[in-house]
């Protein structure tokens, strides 16, 4: 059955005109969207989708397969208002110690290098109660991130609040980050606001598809921010791998927020994604179709990746995986890939151009 569906897609030019009137609209629309590449440019992000979702539904109805994953719901910790800072995440504040954090949350699920030259330690239970914590050399908390209901504030700002409420409460956000080495203007186009308060840069992210609600927060100690000597952190193997795993974890934490299954990391398709990011960075292009005319579909086939449906997200030029992910979630096509309920696997590849700007490639598939 799968072979028949794939054969129909691959040979579409031979039969499309003669059978168009015989195919129901829903199936015809699905096949058309499956065989044509779609690009949607928003903030230098693009998306690609191959093979119709309806084809997957047909396979599932015949085989009885189910891509959903049942996981036990984890109770959210009781949150208290922060004592020293304006914000806390999971009752953790900038200035706390690793010992304090891990007395509550245990060992991190992952440690990976970030753009500040330190590690994000990632804590979660099946991607529930998800947060990332950055420590300095003295094991003191210098950075925090969450996109789940772990946010507390002295001003009663929480996830789900509106951008207008945040602006009314905290005032006008910053227009520029002033660093000892460089300054840069903040041009978020409404996707986030940055506030400089309590010796911390608080970046509040909004979901433009959900009435500009607060969807995530990142807190970075001003000394950690000012320690960056360049706008883009010099690329390295450690940072490359760190950005890949961080984007993977952020994707799964978002899927859990939407009651979707957790995607499985796939090392093989990660290599497919990495090669495309390297190709784009080295040859100065940004497209789903490479300079040899290969689509993501072609590249996955060439690497012997077997799939029923697949999708690709690209991002370029964001400072980190956090900003890349939030940007993708605010772009409708990319968001659909991230929240596609039939996908089961994900591999992410990152590389850097000569200016150390990262290129992100996400390859999803079922």
């Amino acid at each position: 059955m799968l072979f028949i569906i794939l054969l129909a897609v691959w040979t579409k030019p031979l039969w499309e005109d003669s059978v168009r009137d015989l195919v129901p609209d829903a199936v015809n629309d699905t096949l058309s969207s499956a065989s044509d590449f779609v690009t949607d440019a928003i903030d230098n992000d693009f998306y690609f989708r191959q093979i119709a979702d309806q084809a997957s539904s047909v396979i599932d109805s015949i085989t009885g397969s189910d891509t959903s994953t049942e996981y036990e719901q984890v109770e959210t910790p009781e949150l208290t208002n922060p004592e020293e800072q304006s914000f806390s995440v999971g009752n953790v504040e900038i200035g706390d110690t690793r010992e304090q954090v891990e007395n509550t949350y245990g060992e991190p699920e992952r440690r990976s290098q970030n753009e500040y030259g330190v590690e994000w330690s990632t804590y979660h239970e099946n991607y529930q109660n998800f947060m990332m914590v950055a420590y300095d050399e003295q094991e003191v908390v210098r950075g925090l991130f969450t996109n789940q209901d772990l946010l507390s504030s002295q001003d009663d700002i929480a996830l789900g609040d509106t951008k207008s409420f945040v602006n009314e409460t905290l005032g006008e956000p910053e227009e520029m980050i002033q660093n000892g080495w460089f300054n840069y203007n903040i041009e978020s186009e409404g996707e986030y606001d940055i506030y400089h308060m309590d010796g911390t840069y608080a970046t509040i992210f909004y979901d433009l598809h959900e009435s500009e609600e607060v969807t995530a927060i990142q807190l970075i100690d001003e000394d950690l921010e000012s320690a960056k000597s360049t706008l883009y952190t010099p690329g390295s193997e450690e940072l490359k791998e760190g950005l890949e795993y961080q984007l993977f974890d952020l994707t799964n934490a978002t899927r859990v927020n939407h009651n979707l299954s957790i995607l499985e990391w796939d090392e093989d398709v990660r290599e497919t994604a990495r090669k495309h990011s390297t190709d784009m960075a080295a040859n100065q292009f940004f497209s789903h179709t490479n300079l040899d005319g290969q689509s993501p579909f072609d590249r996955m086939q060439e690497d012997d990746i077997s799939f029923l449906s697949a999708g690709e997200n690209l991002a370029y030029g964001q400072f980190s995986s956090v900003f890349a992910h939030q940007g993708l979630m605010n772009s409708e096509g990319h968001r659909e890939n991230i929240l596609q309920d039939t996908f089961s696997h994900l591999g992410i590849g990152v590389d850097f151009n000569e200016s150390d700007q990262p290129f992100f490639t996400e390859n999803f598939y079922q």
Side-chain angles (χ1 to χ4, degrees):
M1 185 65 182
L2 173 59
F3 175 76
I4 293 172
I5 292 172
L6 294 178
L7 183 63
V9 174
W10 292 332
T11 60
K12 177 186 174 186
L14 302 179
W15 53 260
E16 178 177 24
D17 292 338
S18 61
V19 302
R20 182 176 296 276
D21 294 336
L22 303 177
V23 180
D25 288 342
V27 176
N28 183 63
D29 290 343
T30 298
L31 292 176
S32 294
S33 65
S35 58
D36 298 333
F37 302 138
V38 185
T39 57
D40 179 22
I42 299 180
D43 295 334
N44 291 325
D45 300 328
F46 292 76
Y47 84 92
F48 161 86
R49 188 181 296 273
Q50 265 291 357
I51 306 300
D53 295 336
Q54 186 161 344
S56 297
S57 299
V58 171
I59 294 295
D60 291 345
S61 66
I62 294 172
T63 63
S65 61
D66 183 2
T67 59
S68 64
T69 299
E70 295 292 335
Y71 41 82
E72 183 179 352
Q73 294 297 315
V74 176
E75 185 177 351
T76 301
E78 182 178 350
L79 302 177
T80 59
N81 286 336
E83 297 178 358
E84 302 295 333
Q85 298 276 312
S86 294
F87 295 100
S88 64
V89 172
N91 298 326
V92 179
E93 299 181 44
I94 300 292
D96 287 348
T97 66
R98 179 187 288 273
E99 182 179 10
Q100 289 174 296
V101 175
E102 297 188 354
N103 281 342
T104 301
Y105 293 102
E107 293 290 322
E109 296 295 324
R110 193 192 310 280
R111 296 172 65 169
S112 57
Q113 187 170 330
N114 64 28
E115 70 276 15
Y116 292 102
V118 297
E119 293 180 331
W120 279 124
S121 292
T122 305
Y123 302 87
H124 62 85
E125 298 176 71
N126 286 327
Y127 289 100
Q128 298 170 78
N129 294 332
F130 178 86
M131 68 176 183
M132 301 194 300
V133 183
Y135 303 97
D136 63 16
E137 293 180 354
Q138 287 72 45
E139 304 285 22
V140 174
V141 175
R142 295 304 180 197
L144 289 163
F145 173 88
T146 190
N147 60 0
Q148 296 186 354
D149 290 325
L150 297 176
L151 174 62
S152 297
S153 83
Q154 294 182 355
D155 296 297
D156 295 325
I157 294 172
L159 264 63
D161 286 339
T162 64
K163 178 177 180 177
S164 59
F165 174 73
V166 172
N167 294 158
E168 290 169 5
T169 303
L170 299 182
E172 291 294 319
E174 300 292 324
E175 297 182 355
M176 176 184 293
I177 297 290
Q178 295 185 333
N179 185 297
W181 300 86
F182 57 88
N183 299 328
Y184 62 88
N185 292 325
I186 298 169
E187 299 178 358
S188 73
E189 299 188 4
E191 293 187 6
Y192 58 88
D193 288 325
I194 298 179
Y195 291 91
H196 189 193
M197 51 203 308
D198 306 323
T200 299
Y201 286 101
T203 304
I204 301 175
F205 296 94
Y206 306 107
D207 190 331
L208 302 186
H209 295 275
E210 296 289 344
S211 303
E212 296 187 328
E213 292 182 350
V214 176
T215 189
I217 188 168
Q218 177 177 270
L219 307 172
I220 299 294
D221 180 86
E222 62 184 4
D223 290 336
L224 185 61
E225 181 68 45
S226 64
K228 290 180 65 178
S229 59
T230 58
L231 186 59
Y232 289 99
T233 304
S236 66
E237 285 299 317
E238 292 78 12
L239 181 58
K240 179 189 300 185
E241 185 174 275
L243 295 178
E244 291 168 349
Y245 282 127
Q246 289 152 26
L247 191 51
F248 175 77
D249 289 339
L250 290 164
T251 299
N252 272 330
T254 296
R255 287 177 65 87
V256 166
N257 287 345
H258 290 80
N259 298 313
L260 296 171
S261 61
I262 295 169
L263 299 177
E264 181 179 338
W265 177 263
D266 189 286
E267 192 66 28
D268 292 332
V269 82
R270 173 216 214 163
E271 289 306 312
T272 303
R274 260 197 182 185
K275 286 187 290 186
H276 189 56
S277 288
T278 299
D279 190 16
M280 290 189 294
N283 293 296
Q284 301 180 5
F285 75 96
F286 187 63
S287 173
H288 294 286
T289 303
N290 66 19
L291 300 182
D292 293 327
Q294 291 181 311
S295 70
F297 184 61
D298 298 324
R299 294 191 294 272
M300 291 175 70
Q301 280 190 310
E302 185 175 67
D303 289 343
D304 296 323
I305 309 296
S306 300
F307 56 92
L308 298 179
S309 61
E312 179 175 273
N313 285 347
L314 302 180
Y316 157 67
Q318 290 84 355
F319 302 123
S320 69
S321 290
V322 168
F323 281 89
H325 176 71
Q326 297 303 137
L328 291 169
M329 280 297 293
N330 277 323
S331 171
E332 185 174 358
H334 307 86
R335 182 189 185 95
E336 289 178 2
N337 275 341
I338 292 168
L339 301 181
Q340 175 56 250
D341 61 354
T342 61
F343 289 152
S344 57
H345 292 72
L346 172 61
I348 297 170
V350 171
D351 211 340
F352 309 90
N353 64 13
E354 292 182 351
S355 300
D356 292 314
Q357 295 171 312
F359 286 72
F360 300 84
T361 301
E362 296 181 312
N363 284 145
F364 304 81
Y365 76 92
Q366 176 189 13

